[in-house]
Amino acid sequence: MAKTPTPREQARQRTIAEILRIGREQLAKEGAAALSLRAVARELGVVSSAVYRYVASRDELLTLLVVEAYTELGDRVDAAVDAAPGTPFERFAALARAVREWALAEPARYGLLFGAPVPGYHAPAEQTTAPGTRVVARLAGILEQAWAVQGGGSADDDGAGPGGRLPAQLAADLETIRREYGLTIPVQLLARGITVWSGLFGAVNFEVFGQYGRGTFTDPAAYFELVIRQLAAQVGIPEGPG
Amino acid sequence: MAKTPTPREQARQRTIAEILRIGREQLAKEGAAALSLRAVARELGVVSSAVYRYVASRDELLTLLVVEAYTELGDRVDAAVDAAPGTPFERFAALARAVREWALAEPARYGLLFGAPVPGYHAPAEQTTAPGTRVVARLAGILEQAWAVQGGGSADDDGAGPGGRLPAQLAADLETIRREYGLTIPVQLLARGITVWSGLFGAVNFEVFGQYGRGTFTDPAAYFELVIRQLAAQVGIPEGPG
DNA sequence: GGTAAATCGTGAGCGGTGCTCTCGAATATG
DNA sequence: CATATTCGAGAGCACCGCTCACGATTTACC
């Protein structure tokens, strides 16, 4: 049926792609709140109301851009991890570096994903959660690999740090996550992994959003390498070949 | 001279305070981007242009609210740490809990400080950096105390984790920070402290901005307690009395 | 091939925003 | 008391998101 899409449909897809491209530019140049359908229309050489033939609202355009950004970040992370040497540490480091580099290259789009919510806009969970979990899913995979490489270890000792028993409810929640993702690592390690996950984005946030204070680090990348080692150590991934 | 400020000046200060109060409400209710001078004027029962007699622009109002928010967060943290038992772990935990609780109670204002920058708005560093460093300064103090309590330790071993020598430039940067804050802890521990700092706000960000996914943790506070222990361990602050 | 239906761009229009300017009234200062 | 300063009102400019009625074009159907 839809072998050769009708010319009109082709034109429509081209126009939508063009709107996304302009929207991406506006987003990168001015930031999320400055994204304006009227400006997109101007750039497109069309009257403002015409854009509504292709995009229902500003929020929908924002959602499309959010999904696109999540996808791009996920692709970058996947590519970086795939290209990295096989040791858990190198794979984790590749993931972390990919996140940081994309964030620094696309601060506005990164802010759209991990910054404060845009006023009045709420990302619809149905469309954004799936692409939004790609990074953490990949991180979980690396933890799985590291855990397997180390031969599983004892069930009580998950590698490092304060053991301690978990509150029952918390353990149950972690168990649910474990099942959903099909993981075999113990819940204590999973908990550490989640903290590493938020810690990674915390460090990237601080750098991208300028929380460290300007001029604090002459070579932020060097400091980030240190962060990588600290985070990796938290989940029992030593720097040497593991 | 300004013993009894002129009645007009009193009225002016009252009006400014009222504008801030309304702005705070708008911010809390609608979020940073929804903050509108016209809405403030309406609430104030005055025509929109009149507000400009007191506040130069929307950005200035935003800056005032940023400073106010930083101050309030700093006060909460100070109060919580002061009221906590004297062990480094308890003081650190009190700091972390205070940050989280304020963030959850005031998500919009928290987002204004630690989320993505509001579009088109850049906080002037002169006014915001000083109140913005209170939390990290307090954290540094706790690390100092913990370091002192432990008797200093050896200069090479800072307590935990991957030692490793630091790159020269990075060590120099950290040394500068150490001097500026008048710290005695070794730079390796300082580096770990910075990571803990960003890790703390990363975890709070994830919870406040809903990055974990809704319903993931039935008791987020319990998970946060785990995060506290993990972060504390990173800077060599054991849970037991130190 | 001709006709009916779906699509699309235009332009006007509504209510909202930040911000500027002028003007008259109220207030403080000499 | 006269002068100078402060302040609120109102009009206005340019922008925003979004809706609607209207022709022109293109598609689909018979």
Side-chain angles (χ1 to χ4, degrees):
Chain A
M1 34 277 276
K3 185 176 209 167
T4 303
T6 152
R8 190 171 241 170
E9 188 61 24
Q10 287 182 341
R12 184 177 179 82
Q13 292 307 324
R14 264 202 311 269
T15 305
I16 290 186
E18 190 69 1
I19 288 176
L20 278 179
R21 188 189 60 79
I22 297 172
R24 211 181 311 137
E25 274 179 16
Q26 302 269 339
L27 193 60
K29 202 190 312 173
E30 310 283 347
L35 180 70
S36 131
L37 275 188
R38 284 186 123 104
V40 170
R42 266 195 305 274
E43 187 91 5
L44 201 61
V46 102
V47 92
S48 76
S49 60
V51 180
Y52 287 86
R53 298 283 182 198
Y54 303 92
V55 159
S57 66
R58 199 193 92 117
D59 278 15
E60 184 181 302
L61 176 58
L62 222 38
T63 299
L64 290 175
L65 291 171
V66 164
V67 171
E68 196 187 56
Y70 270 129
T71 301
E72 192 172 304
L73 173 60
D75 288 347
R76 296 292 180 88
V77 166
D78 279 347
V81 173
D82 289 340
T87 75
F89 180 84
E90 281 305 327
R91 291 165 72 86
F92 173 77
L95 179 145
R97 290 185 197 116
V99 170
R100 171 175 179 268
E101 276 155 24
W102 187 82
L104 289 175
E106 306 272 359
R109 296 170 72 196
Y110 176 83
L112 187 58
L113 302 184
F114 299 99
V118 180
Y121 168 73
H122 284 281
E126 318 86 58
Q127 307 170 43
T128 56
T129 48
T133 56
R134 286 180 55 184
V135 172
V136 68
R138 200 69 208 249
L139 175 59
I142 295 174
L143 290 190
E144 279 287 314
Q145 181 207 10
W147 178 249
V149 165
Q150 289 167 10
S154 77
D156 285 344
D157 178 24
D158 51 23
R165 292 183 49 77
L166 301 175
Q169 184 58 64
L170 186 54
D173 287 343
L174 291 169
E175 193 61 49
T176 302
I177 299 173
R178 215 167 74 113
R179 242 198 338 271
E180 275 178 12
Y181 282 78
L183 303 176
T184 64
I185 57 176
V187 289
Q188 286 89 348
L189 181 55
L190 173 59
R192 250 189 268 285
I194 295 173
T195 307
V196 165
W197 175 41
S198 65
L200 166 63
F201 281 95
V204 173
N205 276 344
F206 266 33
E207 185 172 346
V208 174
F209 300 152
Q211 214 80 34
Y212 286 135
R214 18 184 264 138
T216 300
F217 293 118
T218 54
D219 185 2
Y223 172 69
F224 191 73
E225 290 297 315
L226 198 60
V227 172
I228 289 177
R229 287 199 293 274
Q230 292 175 30
L231 292 175
Q234 262 188 91
V235 282
I237 300 182
E239 189 173 0
Chain B
M1 36 276 277
K3 183 174 210 167
T4 303
T6 150
R8 191 168 241 173
E9 188 62 24
Q10 287 182 339
R12 184 177 180 82
Q13 292 307 323
R14 262 202 313 270
T15 304
I16 290 186
E18 190 71 359
I19 289 175
L20 278 180
R21 188 190 60 79
I22 297 172
R24 212 180 311 135
E25 275 180 15
Q26 302 268 341
L27 193 60
K29 201 189 314 171
E30 310 283 348
L35 180 72
S36 132
L37 275 186
R38 284 186 122 105
V40 170
R42 267 194 303 273
E43 187 91 5
L44 201 61
V46 100
V47 90
S48 76
S49 62
V51 179
Y52 287 86
R53 299 280 181 199
Y54 302 93
V55 159
S57 66
R58 198 193 92 115
D59 278 16
E60 184 181 302
L61 176 57
L62 223 37
T63 299
L64 291 175
L65 291 171
V66 165
V67 171
E68 196 187 56
Y70 269 129
T71 302
E72 192 174 304
L73 173 61
D75 288 346
R76 295 292 180 88
V77 166
D78 279 347
V81 173
D82 288 341
T87 75
F89 179 84
E90 280 305 327
R91 291 165 72 86
F92 173 76
L95 180 144
R97 290 185 198 118
V99 170
R100 172 175 179 269
E101 275 155 26
W102 187 82
L104 289 175
E106 306 272 0
R109 296 170 72 195
Y110 177 83
L112 187 58
L113 303 184
F114 298 100
V118 181
Y121 168 73
H122 284 281
E126 317 84 58
Q127 306 170 44
T128 56
T129 49
T133 56
R134 286 180 54 184
V135 172
V136 67
R138 199 69 208 248
L139 174 60
I142 294 174
L143 289 189
E144 279 288 315
Q145 181 208 9
W147 179 250
V149 163
Q150 290 167 7
S154 77
D156 284 344
D157 178 25
D158 51 25
R165 292 183 48 78
L166 301 175
Q169 186 57 65
L170 186 54
D173 287 344
L174 291 168
E175 193 61 48
T176 302
I177 300 172
R178 215 169 74 113
R179 240 196 339 270
E180 275 178 12
Y181 281 77
L183 303 176
T184 63
I185 57 177
V187 289
Q188 286 90 346
L189 180 55
L190 174 58
R192 251 189 267 285
I194 295 173
T195 306
V196 165
W197 176 42
S198 64
L200 167 63
F201 281 95
V204 174
N205 276 345
F206 267 32
E207 184 171 346
V208 173
F209 300 152
Q211 214 81 34
Y212 286 136
R214 18 185 263 136
T216 299
F217 292 119
T218 53
D219 185 1
Y223 172 71
F224 191 73
E225 289 297 315
L226 197 60
V227 172
I228 290 177
R229 287 199 293 274
Q230 293 175 28
L231 292 175
Q234 264 190 89
V235 282
I237 300 182
E239 190 173 358

